[in-house]
Amino acid sequence: MRLAALLAALRPVLPLVLGLSLGCSLSLLRASWSQSGGEDQCLGAAGRPGPLAGRARPEAADGRPGLGHEDFRPRIVPYYRDPNKPYKKVLRTRYIQTELGFHERLFVAVLTSKATLNTLAVAVNKTVAHHFPRLLYFTGLRSAKVPHGMMLVAHGDERPIWLMYETMHYIHQHFGSDYDWFYIMQDDTYAQAEQVKALVMHLSINQDVYLGRAEEFIGGDEQARYCHGGFGYLISRSLLLKLHPHLDSCRNEILSVRPDEWLGRCIIDFLGIACVSQLQGQHYHTYELAKNTEPEKEEEEEFQAALAVHPVSDMTLMYRLHKRFSRIQLDRAYQEIQDLQMQIRNLTSLTPAGEAGLTWPVGINAPFLPKSRFEVISWDYFTEQHLFSCPDGSPKCELSGASKADVSEIIESALEQLNSRYQPLLRFSKRQLLNGYRRFDPTRGMEYTLDLLLEAVTQKGHAHVLAKRVSLVRPLSKVEIIPMPYVTEATRVQLVLPLTVQDVDFVANFLDMFAMNTLDTHDNALLTLLFIYHPYDAQRVSQVDVFAGVKAMVGELEKRYAEVKIPWISVKTEVPSQVKLMDIVSKKHPVDTLFFLASVWTEINMEFLNRCRMNTISNWQVFFPVHFQEFNPALVYRGEQTASSSTDFLRDGHFDRYSFAEACFYNSDYMTARTKLAADILDRDEVLESMEVFDVFLHYSGLHLFRAVEPGLVQKYALRSCNPRLSEELYHRCVLSNLEGLASRSHLAMALFEQEQANST
């Protein structure tokens, strides 16, 4: 009875149990068969690898891949540090490209001479030098004066073979490990820079490349060819590295009159590589100019496809060639744009939005769509004489400089487009610009809307005046990386804090923040205090020192941090001119000191100090941050609890654009600008009272002045004391800073509303 009841209970799951058992048994049998069959297939009759052996990688006894295989299996190398050795901080490179061993793409060398340095070499520099990432000029003997903007290397000997030998040796020594391709040309060669860069982008760096216009040696082997130097030639990095050990032998053993033949013979004899004009599907097209050639009339396909043109006899011909090839490239670009626009129009009908999703101009991003009224991009109104949105905030100013050139160019472009569309039926000429509007859309570029009063003339000579509205877009072009000098975050920052009697109450908070964010974190920053005594207080300093409390706090700080010394400098003056104070500090520090000119309300933090280091570049750029000024809490919160800085960061305040008190700059740059200022003002020291450090750099340095909002530089609200003895402009800026720092318009409106309600009741 029990067995029958058990079988009746298991009967529903019996098929499942039998199926699982049968499946497991068959899978085990199949695994054993495949394993035994695989061993028979992978081994031949004599134990050699069979046809399938390529799938397995033979390994050595230590687990590493065997020899003869280029594909290696990755291995995880565990980190191990010897406990007996002291720990040393690893200094990593600034860019991952450097750490991974990547190279720059192209280096260009131009062979010139003393006779042509100020003519043809200058023409090369003005036409193509700005298109290449790195270009150097090599000559035997240099002139007394090197042309501006040209990097010249003189070898001291005008012999052509010696010049080529020294040039190749110099390139290998200084740039052999930094670049993948080396393009060598003469100063009587015109090269299309963009075409040369496009050529190296399509070539593999794994081959030894000697590419140029292949020429036969006189009386030599037909298979052995050298690259003609007049048309330029391209050498790969691997070829340069292999060639360098043989340069001395080539100089002693190979006799030649032409340097390009000498180099070609050297490469062929020692490396067995001949010059080629075609490689990896890429052609090196050249064109040989005949005498009295007119570049403007050249329509041959060979001329238009040329990467290099030779010989160029004078500077004028070089400029004419550059103009002709620039026009050819521009026409090609316009044609390519038209083809792409046609393809976009044809494909738009297949998209979900259909033709309604086609933007104008075709291929340019659609205009920015604001999500609220605060995101609306305003239009600036202008005429041909005036601009009604001025940088200084005034309602109307004269149209001049770049803005005037921009408006003139836009009007000319509008007339050109109208005439190209309606000619020969109509010909338009401008009478007057009625209205002009422009705005900058960060998603697409500068947009313009023009109301033009035009005169239209028909083919029969009938004239008619009409008004027409046109819309234009100046789209954002290709983004370029501006080369900047290398800077490091390890630079020591010297903080300079000027203090007056009115600032004494705020020093404690400044020193606490300085200790917490720099001394506790061991940041590479020092502090110098500048005590500014009024003449009356200076006379009584032996009895009553107005800065005695500050000096006591500094002493306590030095006791707490034994390795820290905070020096101070005492100055007596009625008018604390920022320039005069900086003159005193500058003389007491080395020229390579990085100064941060701070104010007593500044809250120092590591984030800002790093940006101060990165944005300040010696002999290149100074940094004037725009700090964030918090509003008056009495007006903003009106008795309510103050919002926490962590949740409402940069909310109840504004960036104070009227303040130039904070600055980051190098002492050497300040001393250079100060010397020029001294020569300009002579002995009129009263002029310094109306200037700030910003004015010194702006008018007398020639450096880049980087002024940007700095969210890491936050200041608590405090009513600044404005010295009426300063210049009118400085005093006016101080007053405006205090007024705008009270509260926002909404907060001021609420305060006035509450005051009126209180007065009415």
Side-chain angles (χ1 to χ4, degrees):
M1 291 292 292
R2 293 181 178 179
L3 181 60
L6 181 62
L7 291 176
L10 293 177
R11 183 174 296 174
V13 297
L14 189 60
L16 178 61
V17 174
L18 293 176
L20 289 175
S21 303
L22 182 61
C24 293
S25 302
L26 290 177
S27 62
L28 291 174
L29 290 174
R30 186 177 180 277
S32 61
W33 291 341
S34 61
Q35 184 175 2
S36 61
E39 293 175 355
D40 294 338
Q41 292 177 359
C42 290
L43 294 178
R48 295 187 299 271
L52 301 179
R55 299 180 183 176
R57 302 293 186 193
E59 297 183 354
D62 56 355
R64 292 178 297 180
L67 300 176
H69 295 277
E70 297 180 358
D71 298 330
F72 301 112
R73 296 179 180 176
R75 293 185 302 114
I76 299 178
V77 180
Y79 174 74
Y80 172 76
R81 183 171 68 89
D82 191 351
N84 299 324
K85 294 183 179 179
Y87 174 73
K88 183 179 180 181
K89 184 178 179 180
V90 179
L91 296 178
R92 301 191 63 180
T93 58
R94 175 170 176 77
Y95 301 104
I96 191 173
Q97 172 178 316
T98 307
E99 187 165 312
L100 295 179
F102 292 169
H103 304 125
E104 297 292 338
R105 200 68 180 173
L106 180 64
F107 173 85
V108 180
V110 180
L111 304 180
T112 182
S113 62
K114 183 178 180 180
T116 59
L117 178 61
N118 293 297
T119 53
L120 288 175
V122 172
V124 172
N125 191 66
K126 290 184 176 181
T127 53
V128 300
H130 55 283
H131 292 279
F132 289 121
R134 189 65 181 271
L135 186 143
L136 258 68
Y137 296 86
F138 295 88
T139 181
L141 299 176
R142 61 185 299 169
S143 303
K145 184 178 181 181
V146 179
H148 179 70
M150 296 175 58
M151 299 183 64
L152 184 67
V153 178
H155 298 308
D157 197 327
E158 285 283 358
R159 290 177 295 175
I161 305 301
W162 179 264
L163 176 62
M164 177 60 71
Y165 164 79
E166 289 292 340
T167 299
M168 298 302 296
H169 181 74
Y170 185 92
I171 292 175
H172 173 271
Q173 182 180 1
H174 294 86
F175 306 102
S177 58
D178 299 331
Y179 292 86
D180 287 329
W181 299 98
F182 301 90
Y183 186 67
I184 303 173
M185 56 180 287
Q186 299 174 180
D187 58 3
D188 61 346
T189 304
Y190 177 79
Q192 289 205 68
E194 297 299 329
Q195 299 295 327
V196 174
K197 291 194 295 185
L199 174 66
V200 299
M201 291 296 293
H202 291 83
L203 293 177
S204 173
I205 62 174
N206 293 330
Q207 295 185 13
D208 298 333
V209 177
Y210 182 34
L211 181 65
R213 175 165 173 164
E215 298 282 349
E216 295 182 2
F217 290 98
I218 300 177
D221 186 6
E222 295 182 358
Q223 301 298 326
R225 295 174 178 265
Y226 71 96
C227 289
H228 194 293
F231 298 94
Y233 45 89
L234 196 66
I235 293 178
S236 64
R237 176 174 175 269
S238 58
L239 179 65
L240 179 65
L241 296 179
K242 295 178 181 179
L243 177 65
H244 181 260
H246 307 291
L247 287 177
D248 292 334
S249 301
C250 294
R251 184 189 60 179
N252 298 328
E253 299 176 6
I254 300 177
L255 299 178
S256 179
V257 178
R258 295 172 54 93
D260 49 2
E261 287 188 7
W262 174 85
L263 181 63
R265 177 60 65 187
C266 180
I267 296 175
I268 292 173
D269 291 351
F270 289 91
L271 302 180
I273 299 174
C275 177
V276 294
S277 299
Q278 178 182 355
L279 184 68
Q280 302 174 12
Q282 302 297 318
H283 296 266
Y284 190 86
H285 298 286
T286 60
Y287 186 81
E288 185 172 357
L289 282 179
K291 291 184 178 180
N292 302 323
T293 300
E294 298 290 336
E296 297 81 7
K297 299 179 181 179
E298 289 289 344
E299 300 292 342
E300 300 180 21
E301 184 177 353
E302 182 183 0
F303 175 82
Q304 298 190 8
L307 274 76
V309 177
H310 175 79
V312 182
S313 56
D314 55 62
M315 299 175 62
T316 305
L317 182 57
M318 183 78 73
Y319 297 138
R320 292 169 62 190
L321 284 170
H322 184 64
K323 180 180 179 181
R324 174 61 177 150
F325 279 109
S326 298
R327 171 53 60 183
I328 293 174
Q329 293 297 327
L330 192 60
D331 294 340
R332 290 175 181 172
Y334 283 143
Q335 185 60 44
E336 186 177 355
I337 290 174
Q338 293 180 4
D339 295 342
L340 290 174
Q341 289 179 339
M342 184 61 66
Q343 294 178 17
I344 293 174
R345 290 191 181 95
N346 296 334
L347 294 174
T348 302
S349 59
L350 304 178
T351 61
E355 295 184 358
L358 191 65
T359 61
W360 179 89
V362 179
I364 305 298
N365 294 333
F368 172 73
L369 295 177
K371 297 181 180 179
S372 65
R373 64 186 181 90
F374 301 103
E375 297 180 356
V376 175
I377 304 175
S378 60
W379 290 85
D380 297 334
Y381 180 76
F382 62 88
T383 62
E384 291 185 83
Q385 293 81 25
H386 296 92
L387 182 65
F388 293 84
S389 178
C390 306
D392 58 355
S394 58
K396 181 180 178 181
C397 56
E398 185 178 356
L399 194 65
S400 61
S403 295
K404 187 175 183 63
D406 175 55
V407 172
S408 301
E409 184 181 359
I410 286 299
I411 295 176
E412 292 178 4
S413 178
L415 289 175
E416 182 181 350
Q417 294 292 331
L418 288 173
N419 286 322
S420 63
R421 176 172 296 185
Y422 292 102
Q423 279 185 349
L425 300 178
L426 293 174
R427 181 172 55 85
F428 293 96
S429 60
K430 178 183 73 70
R431 280 199 171 186
Q432 183 184 355
L433 173 64
L434 300 176
N435 302 293
Y437 309 88
R438 68 178 181 180
R439 70 173 183 178
F440 177 72
D441 189 335
T443 62
R444 53 195 254 136
M446 186 70 79
E447 298 178 344
Y448 303 86
T449 298
L450 306 178
D451 293 332
L452 296 172
L453 185 64
L454 304 172
E455 181 179 358
V457 181
T458 63
Q459 289 179 307
K460 296 182 179 181
H462 300 292
H464 180 68
V465 178
L466 73 161
K468 195 171 184 64
R469 168 166 287 192
V470 295
S471 298
L472 302 95
V473 175
R474 191 192 296 272
L476 295 173
S477 58
K478 181 181 178 182
V479 178
E480 298 182 4
I481 299 177
I482 300 177
M484 296 288 287
Y486 179 80
V487 292
T488 175
E489 295 182 3
T491 307
R492 172 177 293 177
V493 179
Q494 177 66 57
L495 281 76
V496 179
L497 180 63
L499 294 175
T500 61
V501 178
Q502 293 81 6
D503 302 332
V504 172
D505 297 335
F506 307 99
V507 178
N509 181 68
F510 178 89
L511 293 178
D512 290 341
M513 298 300 296
F514 174 76
M516 180 176 63
N517 294 328
T518 59
L519 301 182
D520 290 342
T521 59
H522 301 283
D523 199 335
N524 194 9
L526 301 177
L527 175 63
T528 297
L529 300 180
L530 197 60
F531 296 137
I532 304 173
Y533 287 90
H534 190 272
Y536 175 75
D537 296 328
Q539 293 176 358
R540 302 187 309 126
V541 69
S542 58
Q543 293 84 18
V544 180
D545 189 356
V546 293
F547 294 106
V550 179
K551 296 177 180 179
M553 287 186 284
V554 171
E556 292 294 331
L557 206 61
E558 291 179 344
K559 290 181 181 179
R560 194 192 319 170
Y561 303 93
E563 70 281 0
V564 175
K565 297 296 180 183
I566 302 179
W568 65 69
I569 303 173
S570 299
V571 180
K572 181 180 70 173
T573 179
E574 293 185 7
V575 183
S577 169
Q578 196 181 47
V579 178
K580 289 183 177 180
L581 297 177
M582 202 59 227
D583 289 344
I584 299 173
V585 178
S586 175
K587 297 176 182 178
K588 297 181 179 296
H589 291 85
V591 294
D592 59 345
T593 303
L594 172 58
F595 285 124
F596 168 46
L597 191 58
S599 62
V600 70
W601 305 280
T602 304
E603 295 184 357
I604 306 298
N605 58 73
M606 186 182 300
E607 178 185 0
F608 167 72
L609 291 179
N610 284 334
R611 272 200 287 269
C612 178
R613 297 181 179 104
M614 300 300 293
N615 293 332
T616 310
I617 307 172
S618 179
N619 199 29
W620 183 270
Q621 179 173 283
V622 293
F623 179 42
F624 286 85
V626 182
H627 68 259
F628 185 82
Q629 177 70 49
E630 294 184 355
F631 288 141
N632 188 347
L635 293 175
V636 174
Y637 304 111
R638 298 185 300 280
E640 300 177 2
Q641 185 178 0
T642 304
S644 62
S645 59
S646 59
T647 58
D648 296 317
F649 181 62
L650 301 185
R651 178 180 175 181
D652 298 322
H654 77 297
F655 287 100
D656 190 359
R657 58 192 178 95
Y658 293 108
S659 175
F660 294 85
E662 292 85 12
C664 295
F665 53 90
Y666 278 91
N667 193 16
S668 57
D669 296 334
Y670 177 79
M671 294 173 65
T672 303
R674 187 63 179 86
T675 303
K676 295 180 180 179
L677 172 62
D680 187 28
I681 66 174
L682 298 178
D683 296 332
R684 295 176 295 136
D685 292 342
E686 65 275 4
V687 179
L688 301 179
E689 298 178 0
S690 62
M691 300 183 67
E692 290 184 319
V693 174
F694 178 82
D695 302 315
V696 176
F697 283 108
L698 179 64
H699 299 291
Y700 297 98
S701 69
L703 304 178
H704 297 270
L705 268 68
F706 182 34
R707 180 157 172 82
V709 294
E710 177 51 65
L713 202 60
V714 180
Q715 293 189 10
K716 299 293 184 181
Y717 172 78
L719 186 64
R720 274 71 165 168
S721 60
C722 301
N723 192 340
R725 300 198 58 176
L726 294 175
S727 66
E728 182 180 355
E729 181 183 358
L730 297 181
Y731 181 77
H732 182 64
R733 284 211 307 249
C734 179
V735 173
L736 287 178
S737 177
N738 281 333
L739 293 177
E740 292 199 359
L742 288 174
S744 64
R745 293 184 178 181
S746 60
H747 292 136
L748 292 175
M750 288 297 299
L752 289 174
F753 178 73
E754 292 177 357
Q755 183 179 2
E756 289 182 358
Q757 279 190 330
N759 294 335
S760 62
T761 57

